[in-house]
Amino acid sequence: MTDEMAPDEIDAAIFRARMPAIAMLHTPNQTDPGTPGCWFGGEPTLPPAIPWPIYKHVYQPRPGVEVPMSFLAQINLEHLPEVLGLPPLPSRGTLFIFYDASLAPMAFGVKGDEPSPVMTGD
């Protein structure tokens, strides 16, 4: 008896796991044609009343140390399409996505100091 799946079993498992989604493609500049107000990296346009997010470490070796979170993406909800099968998203507002690079260094496709194609667009 083997634990390996046959190709048709793999195809069936992938088919069952598929879900509707919105694909976001990286462009080098915020001003490139595409969806206005949506981009990866760079600087967000945080409203003045929203401070830059800070992560306060609770685990060793740095408990209590506060670190500014890294900006990942900004998404203007007004320009997102409706996707059949996904719950409706708000039609206005902006999502600002941040993460703590010290806890999740692989979150943006980086291994050590070497950028991956995800990060460089190569």
Side-chain angles (χ1 to χ4, degrees), residues 34-88:
T35 306
C38 300
W39 61 84
F40 291 98
E43 294 289 326
T45 57
L46 287 172
I50 298 179
W52 195 278
I54 301 291
Y55 176 77
K56 185 173 183 177
H57 286 267
V58 293
Y59 301 108
Q60 294 294 339
R62 302 172 3 169
V65 173
E66 293 185 355
V67 180
M69 296 182 80
S70 297
F71 173 66
L72 185 61
Q74 177 171 320
I75 302 169
N76 182 341
L77 296 172
E78 180 181 352
H79 297 286
L80 288 182
E82 289 187 30
V83 177
L84 187 64
L86 285 181

Side-chain angles (χ1 to χ4, degrees), residues 10-27:
I10 294 171
D11 290 342
I14 290 172
F15 181 80
R16 288 189 306 272
R18 287 190 306 182
M19 298 177 65
I22 297 172
M24 296 181 64
L25 304 176
H26 181 267
T27 59

